Each structure stands twice: as structure tokens, then as C-alpha cells.
Amino acid sequence: MVDKKFVYFFGNGKAEGSASQKDILGGKGANLAEMTNLGIPVPAGFTLSTEVCKLYYENNEQYPETLHEEVANNLKKLEKITGKKLGDEKDPLLVSVRSGAAISMPGMMDTILNLGLTDKSVKGIAKKSGNARFAWDAYRRFIQMFGDVAMGVPHAQFEEAIDEIKVEKGVKLDTELDAQDLEKLVNMYKKLYKKYTNTDFPQDPIEQMWGAIDAVFGSWMNERAIKYRAMNAIRGLDGTAVNIQSMVFGNFGNDSGTGVCFSRNPSTGEHKFYGEYLMNAQGEDVVAGIRTPQPIDSLKNENEKVYNQLCEIRDRLERHYRDMQDMEFTVQQGELFLLQTRNGKRTGHAAIRCAVEMEKEHLIDKQTAVMRVTPEQLDQLLHPQISKKAIENSVILTKGLNASPGAACGQIVFTANEADSWVKEGHRVILVRKDTSPEDISGMAVSEGILTATGGMTSHAAVVARGMGRPCVCGAHEIVFDADVVFIGENKFKRGDYITVDGSTGNIYKGQLELSDPEMSENVTTFLSWCDDIRNLSVRKKADGTSLRGFSVRANADQPIDAKHAFDFGAEGIGLCRTEHMFFDRSKLIHFRAMIASTSKEKRKEYLKKILPLQEKDFIGILEAMDGRPVTIRLLDPPLHEFIPHTLTETEELAEYMKTDVTKLQAKLEALREVNPMLGHRGCRLAITYPEIYDMQVEAIALAAADCIKRHLEVDPEIMIPIVCDDDELTIIRKRSEAIINRVFEENSINRTLKIGSMIEVPRGALLADKLAAQADFFSFGTNDLTQMTFAFSRDDASKFLTDYLVQDVLMTDPFKVLDEEGVGQLITIAKEKARSVKPGIKLGICGEHGGDPTSIDFCYRAGLNYVSCSPYRVPIARLAAAQAVLKNY
Amino acid sequence: MVDKKFVYFFGNGKAEGSASQKDILGGKGANLAEMTNLGIPVPAGFTLSTEVCKLYYENNEQYPETLHEEVANNLKKLEKITGKKLGDEKDPLLVSVRSGAAISMPGMMDTILNLGLTDKSVKGIAKKSGNARFAWDAYRRFIQMFGDVAMGVPHAQFEEAIDEIKVEKGVKLDTELDAQDLEKLVNMYKKLYKKYTNTDFPQDPIEQMWGAIDAVFGSWMNERAIKYRAMNAIRGLDGTAVNIQSMVFGNFGNDSGTGVCFSRNPSTGEHKFYGEYLMNAQGEDVVAGIRTPQPIDSLKNENEKVYNQLCEIRDRLERHYRDMQDMEFTVQQGELFLLQTRNGKRTGHAAIRCAVEMEKEHLIDKQTAVMRVTPEQLDQLLHPQISKKAIENSVILTKGLNASPGAACGQIVFTANEADSWVKEGHRVILVRKDTSPEDISGMAVSEGILTATGGMTSHAAVVARGMGRPCVCGAHEIVFDADVVFIGENKFKRGDYITVDGSTGNIYKGQLELSDPEMSENVTTFLSWCDDIRNLSVRKKADGTSLRGFSVRANADQPIDAKHAFDFGAEGIGLCRTEHMFFDRSKLIHFRAMIASTSKEKRKEYLKKILPLQEKDFIGILEAMDGRPVTIRLLDPPLHEFIPHTLTETEELAEYMKTDVTKLQAKLEALREVNPMLGHRGCRLAITYPEIYDMQVEAIALAAADCIKRHLEVDPEIMIPIVCDDDELTIIRKRSEAIINRVFEENSINRTLKIGSMIEVPRGALLADKLAAQADFFSFGTNDLTQMTFAFSRDDASKFLTDYLVQDVLMTDPFKVLDEEGVGQLITIAKEKARSVKPGIKLGICGEHGGDPTSIDFCYRAGLNYVSCSPYRVPIARLAAAQAVLKNY
């Protein structure tokens, strides 16, 4: 039986592994092997596979029996290739030890350099290099790294020691210490090491090496790494690999150097070699920032041969990996070595530009291009961002929920009315409130950004702000209002003070921070058109001959102007037009309030008659804006409770309008109040008790459609019934609605019908989906409410405990942000199966806030839905996420 | 091919049908056949089967082809047996036509008598009987019945005509009209008939007969009948049968008579012949009440032979049907005929007594006895009822929901404090409020009954009242409070005015009505012990060798006194001990309020420490009361919101107690308010954010158990976690709780564990039941909350629309009263299947208000649950309903 292979060698142009073996070699090891095989100069070395890590933990932290021998054999091979021996007193082999899992993981141990240095071999290096200072500096760095990283000696202790020496000598910079100083420092470090580990610093390089290997594997299960994997939902990895590689030195003299470069500009995406380097320096020195690195172009002047070689390698690696590369290199005494290559991190701008240009260069195809840009990267392009430099010098006041992306700065105002009047006077304002309610909408619309102390990801403020594309931070609990001022964290602000809110991160900053503008460049347009092609798959076939299912993106829009935005952002329809938002408009609110406060059907009908033409006008505007695309209009949804006047003045106004007594009116309004309005008299329940309300709305829709049709415009309105929990609700409302539509259409000599569908947002609706489907032309999952009911979490109150749920890992994500597949998703799947069992072709969509979340969009596609609907400003993100969902689940 | 048989003959001691054929002959027809076969004198006749009705509606209201011929043949047979011919001018056969479905159904057409009378045959009857008045009276009655019942001529028109004649003649009673008057009346009736039907009154008896048959079958689908079947959930019937039977007359002279009798007393159940009769009268005359009927015993003096014959028939029928019989008889010229027998309706008292005594008489076995009493009948015995006589003379003020059974009368008070002080002064009071809240509990406890204007079947008032066994009517919308008075319907009441509330019907009456007391007689105790034997089936085996599943009844009880009641009522454990009710006790509330208003964990712990011994004491009391039976203690469930002080005085008191500033305290309390408390910060969510609360409660339970165990008492406390939506909640709380229990038990040298289980009341909890089951020793379905979340119906607000839902048949029953099998039941079934898939033996119960509802109990047994839990006063009902569920689903 052949023993299992645990160690993979690379060097001298040949490697036992390749880039395809990330699973067992880790990302770093696999790329080192790949580069070696490509003939790119890489210092030789070997990789202990991730399987070792797995077996180590499976076997009570014992290594496989054959491992020590295999490592010894590979070390021998390395010594042969380099012509040096580990621990040799004259010309010792020095190695680096680095961890590297299949996915980069900041929680784990990183790097130990210069391993192999001992009290004896340091002298050999000093002699051989002719640079004693270099040798002792390398040794003291090794002790520090080994002590700190592998053995847990406090980092600060080493820093204190070096400071002590500098004070003693009266110098300020490390570089001012000479060889003797560093030798002294080595002795201090060794004492420190003994003090904390109770052992002498190991003088056997093999012991050093195994100590480092133990430390790497040990770090796989440290708290930080476990937490990191949990937070990022990284599962199914075997463990980390360990890379042991012969050292090269960029600080060997002026013909040496080190640098980092990118095959394209990671900030802009421009196809131009980009990077920086420092001569006579190690990687740390570049990071430390004491010397200013040179732009990569200057290397041409420094050493043209090396520069050209690097350029050639850059081209080869990018062509080979077909992606922008982030490379580390070192030049030792005029010789170039590549130490790492990986796909480069990039900004949203760069991601789009790289993806589009690489496709044009025939490096990648369109599907690959679409997978190269994350929805978050695309999102950066669609909203103003705080400039990087501004963030560095900023003061974070507190952090709330990142409820609506983008950054905004302005002067604090406390009410919607203040927002209105300040903006009229030419100010830019941030509306800061405990929470918002429907009357604040106009004030929200004129504000640059919105900040609330309470409420979660689907609170009123959050939903409205996203709908308006206005940056918003919600549920910032450290905000306390007091008389005429507001405390944000420790700081007190008054009306007119400047703050900056970042709705993408949830951070609140003091003062005015510089913002960068969004842009919808030509690249973005091109990129999104590719996404659309992938989603619109009706004509394409899968390998097995079946058709691929298309996946549409619609928008939630309540007003003609929103619909216009949605159309411009590429929405293929309106998935949710909330008619109640129309009622909060000043011109309609008083009629509506009068209607709900009326005690007779006749009175209610009278007031509804006044609203009818106003609703009709809105519907006409939306239908026109959508140019024939489907528009799903949801009939009145919120509890009457929400329409009750808030102040005595409003009640008096209403009483005057209704010509009634204020006291009587108050009693009637009081009776409308609810203990749990979310579970109260709302949605289609209103149509069972007051059928005249939906009658009016359906008539307005029919009239609007008729008006457009008579002007030869194409329209496709769909009527949606909310809060359905029983098929009889649908039966009753459908019958009434069809009668009204038929009457209006007949009066206008129009021969057609309108689709009538059901929202599924009450658990019972999902559970009875087969019966509902018999009465519905389509379903739309209202996942905001469905999440509320399924979890029994009120979106207005859940912020009180949701943070603790996330911190304690009870929930991995906020279910109002990312759709909960286990519970809510299960109900959606049950509903889908039941509905399709009686009506196989029934159209299914989602119109909750989750419709704009990439993870949730992926679920929706897998669950078999036909479309998602989200706020207009989120449509581009959804177009991308939907395309990626199709590709991932292809 | 033999034609299908549609008509069944009975007569001369032989019938083609039998009592087992109710499905096709209807109840009446089947019993007429059965009696005939038993040799009991029954006027001969024949029955058109329910299949005719079914085919009639399936075939566009056409009869089967062979029907007319079959009816003609049977008529011939009838004429032969009776020796009379239909329509004969000298001695005509007269028949009655009656409907009769398998289940008695008041919505349908009932009876047409004397069919066969025409202008000619009436004279034959007059001559043959020697009683012209009798003949013309029979004819005018026939025209009236046929016209009204079969042809829709308004009943009032006939009444007007007879009044006209009486005025004309100057008499007051119908009996004062002579033959000539009645002949005149016949002419007036015939004119009326023609006016409304546009046809002459039919003179062909065959045409009359088919007219009557058409009318009976037509009535099966009239609006009233459809509504009646829907309301009573009567499904699966083919239709009604039609019984055509030769007439006998009790008004043929002084040797004739008619009566109704019961084989036992239907009011008391006493085994004594009971009934009444009138000589020279028809059935209608008994009902009309103009003459006072004689008690059945007097018949002995009237005609001993007939009386003895009737007694013998009574015995035979009861022995034959093995149930108390309700019989109608007629004596025509000294000859006895039975016209109907059926199982007699009876009061709760009679039902129990009959069941128990018949078992003792070996007429029926115990299982049959248990099926003979409905839960509603048993319920009558357990609560005071308004006496029958009092109801007759009462004024119903309004009607609300019948929230807690039993009747009560007393003086109106408006607050719990008033209730307290009035009762101390010796008054009996009814607490009338808009709604109630936890602070009202002591006031509710001293009131005779509770009446609220808002709230549904599971509102606070309803739940607490049922728990206390206090009569309660909820959601009586017509109650309006105004300053110091209350309007109930149209009537104004002030403090101290008397009203009577009937929690069994929901009616509110003016003044003090006489009440009858409840009793737990020896018969009831015997009867319930039989129920328990049936439920406790662990030792019994089914025919296929498998064991029958037991089905237990537990009670919901929060205090030692409630537990004592529960035990006395036969509860086999406590299924729900709500610990929050303990906090509302005055001695604990201030500590608890201080706890929730504290800003630091240390402060919270300090206040909790003060509650610990008080909770421990309560738990000891409950454990002692239950004498070793399981006690499921639910940890804190309601939102902190509910504990917020209501008045400034209370807040000031609290501030003083906490030695803090009132303004600051108010701000803190304000932050606890919730928009939708039902979906808010409650249940185990409190344990995630403030673990110290559950820690204290678990410690109190462990200490209480330890205290009892050390005193050698048997105890079985079970800890239940509410509002669970994720298995991680259970994992975290279970771990903490087990650590506390282990510590307390170790300190007391006790070696045992306590069961820890989960409530399933959040839809996500049900959907994730497999994961939850891994962390739970048992589940209890909290169907109140599960109904709220599944329907998205707030129990506090749903009364605003639920009435309309019931009136419009969107829902057949109030889902807070009868468990909704389709939706909520589906979730329970999903949860059961998931839970048992990972833990086959997991104990499942229900502790919502549905645990006391017979229909819901039947579902729980079918769904595979192990027990139901309900309020103590409901336990006897549940014991019966559970036994019936076992028998029905055996």
C-alpha cells in the first residue's frame, strides 16, 4: 500500500501541485505550485496539505505517522536545490512558514520569516552576506515573530525592549541601531521568550520548524478563526495548509528590493501595470510606511531587466488566471522572485471595468464577467460614498443599521416640517428622529439622509428611504433626544449642526465628510445588459433539452415618479404598487380619515368618491411610465389604526371638514386604535368589513386602464389582494372586483379582463396555497410580513433583541434583511408546491424587501419563483444578483 | 336489469325498511319502518328515499323515470291495506306528507296533513264520520298547510281570513266556528290560493300528492336549509326522504286523543314514564296551548287499555333502541297509533342520569354511555344557569361572546378597585369594563361575573375568567361608556344597577334573574370515572395487537389554589403554569418593575433576588397540590411592555422604591413600549437579552423541587420555554438552566434531572420542530399564540372584523375558540411529524384555550398528541371530550 501523500514540493520549474488543488494546498500553496510550473521564478519550498490539518483534529491533535518522514524528505530536496542546509553554521537555509487555506482567512496565524536562524547560523549569515547588521536584524525579527505568533509572547513586550535600547542609545529609528545593538536586542528577546514560555529559544532549526507548523495548524481552531468562519458562513473546508519556502531577501543591499503589484489598477480597473516597490527593503518596510515606496514604473530605471521580466510575468499570469492579479515580488541581488499571486481585490469601479474590458479582450466570456462583480461592488457605484481619505480622519459617533445605502451629509433637523423649511432656505439636511411615520414622507424626500434611533431593516424609515434611494441609518440606539438637542453617543448636537451618515455601513460621523459621486457609466450599462441576457433565458435550452426558466426583476413603486425611476433602472414591471402611500398625500389624507371615521356606508362612499379621481390619476401616471409592462397594484393594506390623526389640531381639522363634534369624533377614532396593529384590522379584512374601499380602488384601476387603452397605450395592471388568510376572502373580493371591472370596461367598450392575485404574507395563506391558487391568477410573497408572522418578530420592535440574537449567533443574519430559508423559505416552498399542484403555470414573485438582497434573490430562483421586486434604486443590484442566481443554479 | 328501489312500504306489521337505513329513509322513515316491524301499531304508509332527492338535483330537478309508477304501486298497496281510496267520494283515504333527512333539520319543509281532501271527498268524510265540522275543519287546515308550506301563500293571509269570519260572527275562538263557518272559510282560502298561485286549488288528490312531494324535495335546497347545514357543519347527506302515511285523527271525538311522551323524564332523567295528552284534539292543539294537556298518568283513568298498551310500547321501544325515546301517539276512536319515535332530547342532568342508570340496567355499556352525553350537556351541570322561567320573562340588553360559561347576576361596578370595596361591603358585583388587564385580576376574582366591550375569546378577560371559573361575556360592542354611566344597547345603567350575564350564551339581561345552582352529583362522578377509564388505555389492546394510545387531561393553573381546584376536578397534571401571573401580584410587581427598569445586570439581579423566594413559595404550593403529578412551568412569556406602570402615581412609587429620578425612569419605561407587543420582546427573547430573569425562575423551580423532595414529597416539575423560534434559543437556555438545576440539586444532595421542553406557538418553531426536538424533552402547542401568528389575527383586535368573517361565512368558527384544523392544525401536524422523526417518543401536548374545546380535543387526539390542558373548571368537559375522541377514532 502506498502511503497517502501529505507534502507537495515546488521548485526548479516543477511542482507536484497546481492551481486546481486549492482544496488541499490552500490558495497560496496552489498558486506557488502553479507559478513554479509556469516557469516563473519562485523560491523553492513545499506545502503540507490541508488534509494534515483535518487528520490532526480528527486524531486528537496527532499528525499522521508518515508526516515527519515526508517533511524530512522534502526538506532534503529543498536543501539540495538551494544548496544550503537548515541550521548550517556557514551558509544556512532560511525558510518562511505561512498558513494558507482554500479561502483567505484573516483569523489564522499568518507568517514566520527567517526560520533556521540560531545563535550559530546567524554568524554564518553575517559572514556569508558580509552584512552583520542584516544577519542580527533577521535573527531578532525571527525571534519576535516566532515568540509572538507561534508561542504567544506579548507583542508589546518586544516593542518595549526595542524602545529601551533606542532610548539607551539616544536614537529614534530602528534603522539607527547597528549590528551590536541588534545582537544585544536578540539577547533581550531570548530572555523575554524564556520568561513567557519557560523554555529557551530553540536552537534546533527542526524544532523551530515543527514549532511553527504546530502553531499554524493550531491557529485553525483558535477563537478568531472559528468566529471568522461562522460570520462569513465558511463551511466544508478541511483545514489550512502550511507553506515552507526558502527565504529570499529584498534587504540584501541596493540591488535588492521588494514590492507589490497588480496587473491592472485595482482602484479604477484601468488596464495598466500598477504597483509600488522599495529597494533594499523587506515586505514589512513597505507596510510600515517610514520610507515612501516608488511607483512600479520607476523600477524600469532601477533595473530594466527585472522590470521587463516582471511585466512579462504580469502578462503571463493574467492571461493564465484570466483575472486581475495581485502579486508580491522580491529582488535579491538583482534576481527576481515571485512570492505570491492571487486574484486582486478591487473597488466596484475596477470590478466592472475589468469584467467588461476582459470580455472585450476575449480573456473571459460574458457569464464569467457577470460572476466577477459582486452585488456589493455594483452597489458602490450607485450611491455617493464617503471618500477614503475623509474616512481616515473622521470621528465615528455611533453605529446603527445600514438601512439604505449611500452616504450623505447635512445639517441636523428634528422634524419633517423643519426639513421642509430648512431645505427651502437652501440648506442640506439630515433628518434625525426616534422613528418616522407616513406623514414624514415629504420631509424625508427633501432630506439628504435619514437617521433614526429605533426600528430595524424594515422599519418605516428604512423601507421608505430605500424606496427613495435616500441614505438611511436606522436603530442607532445610542441616540437620545433631550429637549432641543440630541446626544449621539457621547456628543451633543443641536439643530443645524453637521453630521455625515453612511447608509452602506451604518456609521455616523461628526461634521461634513467629503463624498464621491455615483455614476452609471457605459461599462455599467454594458455589464447590466449582459446580466439581463442571462436572466432572459426563455429561448435558451439546457443540455438536456429543457428550457431554462426566465427570472425577472421588477420594482416596488407607489408614484408615477418612482415608476419612472424604476423604468430607467431597468425594471421589467412593477411588482408592488402600495396604494396606501397614495392616501398619505395631503390632498387625499383628509378624505380618507373622514371615510374611516364615518359611521355609515353612505358617508364612507361619499368620501371615497372624492378619492377615486385622485387614485385614478396616480394609476394612469404609473401605467404610462411603465409603458405596457405589468404593474401589480396592491389594494389597501395597513390597519386603519395608522390613519388616525396624531394631534388634536388634526382631529379638529377633520371634525370641521366632517362637520361633526370633536368629542364624538375622538371616541370614534379611539375605537380604531389597536393593541397589535400588525395583526389587526388591515388588508383584505377591510374589504370584508367595508367592501366599498376596495370597490373604489378597483374602479380607479379599471378607469385608469380604460383611459390609457382608449388612448391606444399598452397597459398591464394586475390587482393584488393583501393579508389573505383564507380562500373565501379571495372568492368574495374577486367576485365584487370582476363585476366592477366588467362594468367599467363595458361602459368604455373594452373587451378584456384584468389579472387578480393574492399576496402570500400570512402563514395560513401559505399553508392553504392550493385553495388560494384556485382563486388567484398570481401570487406575490410579501416576505416582510411573512417574516414578521413566521418569527413572531415585529419589525418595529425586534431591534430591541435582534442585536443580541446576532451577537450570540442565535441567528446568523437579520431575517428582515436576508430571507430566512429555514423557516420563511420553507413556507414559500410549501406554498409553491401546493399552488403549482393545482395551477402548474401560476406566476410567483416576491415583493418584500428581500427582493433586493442578493442571497435572498438566489433563494427565490432556487425556490422556483418567476420574479423578484425591489426598490427602484436597488433594481440594478437585483438584475446582477438574479443573473448570478441563474448562473449558479444552472 | 332490476330497477333501483326508490320507495319503501310499511304497514300491517311489516316494513321494507328498518332503523339501520336512516341514510336512505331519513330518521323519521327509518323509525316508522322499525316500529312497524316491531309490531307496534303505526298507520301504514311509504317512504320515498333520499336517493330520489339526490338524483332529482343531479338530474336538473327531474325524478327518476320509474318513480311515478313505484309511487302508484305503493299507493295501491296502501289503499288496499286501509280499505280506502285516495279521493274517494264516500270514504276517502287521507294522508300526511312529511320530510325527514338522516339528521333532523329545521330548515326544511315539515308537514302537510289531511292530503286527499277535495270539494267532493270532504263531504264523504263528513258523512262517514258523522261530524261535518270535523270534515270542514280538516279541509280548511289542509288548504292552509298546502298553500303556505308547499306553494308559498303568505301564512298571515290565512290568519286574516279566519279573523274576518270570527269578527263577522262575533266569536273569539276557532272552536266557536261551526261547520258552515268553516265551509265558508274553505271558500275564502281557495280564493286566497288562487290569488297567490294563479291556479285553482287542486281537486285531483294525485296532483295534491305530487305537489307536496315536489315541495319537500324543493325545500332541501332552500336558503334556510342550506344555511342550517352550513352552520351546523352537516355534510355528506344525499338529501331528504318523503314520508307519506295514512292519517289518523285524535279529534274524532271524546274516545280520540293525541299526545307526546318520553320513556324517561327528559328534564331530570328519572326512570319514570313522562308526557302529556289531550283528548279530542290534534297535535297542533297541544302546541297551541289553548287547552291544558293532561299528564300521561291520567290516561290510565281515561282508557286503561290504551294506557297499558302505551306503557308496554314505551318499554319495548326503549329496550329496542337502548335510549330514552320521545314518542308521538294518537288515539282514534279508542285505537292507539304511534306516529313517531326518536331518541329524546334532554337536559344535561337527564343525559348524565340516563347514561349512568341505563348502564346499571345493562341496557348499554360504558362506552355507549360516554357517547350519550355531549360536552355541552355536562357543562350545564358545572355552572349556575339562568332558570328557564326567568329567561321567558327577561329582557336581553345585548349579546357578546360567550367567553366563560355560567350565569351570574350582581350590581354593576366599573373598576377592579370598586369591585373589591363593594364586595367588602357585602354586595355581589358584575365587573363591566372596556377590557381588563393583569392588575384587574383581584377585582375579577371577587366579582360574580365579568362583562367587557372589546376583546375576543382569548382576550385577557376571557382567559382569566375561564381560569377562575367566573362567568364572562366579552366583546359586547354595544356597550358604550360615558362619564359615570354605561349604555348597554339602548339602556343606560349606573354603578350599582343590577344586570345578569350569561357566559354560556353571551346574553346580557336587565335586572336580577333567578339562577339554578351547579352540582357535581354522584352520577357525574361515576360518569367521569368511566371517561377516565376509556382515556387511560395503556393496558388495553386493539384487535390487531397494538396498544391504544392514552390521552391525558391536564389543567392550566398559575397559583396553588388553582392547582387545588384542578386536582379536585380530576386534572392529571398541570399543562401550563404561567409564571408571569405571579408577578402581577402586588407583593412582586414592584420588584419586577424595578428589575425591568434597571439599566445594569447587577441591579436587575438585585431585584430578581427579592422575587426568588416568592416564586419558590408559589411553586412549592403548586407542586404540593398536584401530589407528584407533572407540573409544566412556563418561564416568563409576556413582553416587558405589559409590566410598564400605567399611571404617574405608579411611576412615582416605583421611582421612590428605586431611589431614582421620575423623569429618567419615565424615559426608560417609554423605551420599553412596543408597537406590536404580541410580536415583541417577550418569551425566551427575554432570556437571550436578560438571561438573569430565567436563571432566577429556574433556580426557584429547582429550590421548590428540592424543598419538596427533602420532605419526601413526590414532585414532577417540567420547565417550558415559550416563544421559541430557533433551536439555538433552546440550546442556550437549556445549557444555563441545567447548570443551575445541577448546582441546586447538588447543594441539596439530590440526584435527578428536570425535563426541559419547548412551547410551539411561533410558526417558525413548528416548521423547525425537528431541530427543536433535538433540544427538548417535550413540546406543548400554545395554540392561542399559534393561532394569532398563523392567521395574523391579534386576539385583542380581531373582534373588530371577526364577526363579519363569521356572518359572511369566510370562517365557519372563531379560530380562537375552535382550533383551525386547516391552517393551525396543519402546522401542528407538520411539527409532530418532524419532531417524531428525530425523537419518536417525544411527549406532545396542547395548552392553548383550545385544550378545553371538544372539537379541538378531538383534533388533538387525531393529530397524535398525548394530552390536552385547559382551565381547571373545564377539566370535566375535557375528560369527557377526550374519552369521546378516543372512542370516535378507535
Side-chain angles (χ1 to χ4, degrees), chain A residues 95-106:
Chain A
V95 297
S96 64
V97 177
R98 289 184 173 97
S99 69
I103 295 171
S104 162
M105 206 173 293

Side-chain angles (χ1 to χ4, degrees), chain A residues 489-558:
Chain A
E490 301 296 306
N491 292 261
K492 183 163 138 186
F493 293 87
K494 54 186 196 309
R495 186 178 287 99
D497 287 344
Y498 277 96
I499 55 168
T500 301
V501 300
D502 188 342
S504 305
T505 62
N507 289 336
I508 312 298
Y509 300 91
K510 195 170 179 171
Q512 298 187 71
L513 268 53
E514 189 197 53
L515 306 182
S516 63
D517 278 341
E519 56 169 302
M520 276 287 264
S521 65
E522 198 182 320
N523 279 336
V524 172
T525 310
T526 306
F527 179 80
L528 285 173
S529 77
W530 297 347
C531 294
D532 295 345
D533 290 342
I534 288 165
R535 288 189 298 102
N536 297 326
L537 290 164
S538 47
V539 290
R540 283 177 49 196
K541 299 269 177 191
K542 282 171 92 164
D544 64 1
T546 60
S547 263
L548 276 170
R549 177 162 52 89
F551 195 35
S552 311
V553 174
R554 297 193 184 184
N556 302 345
D558 310 335

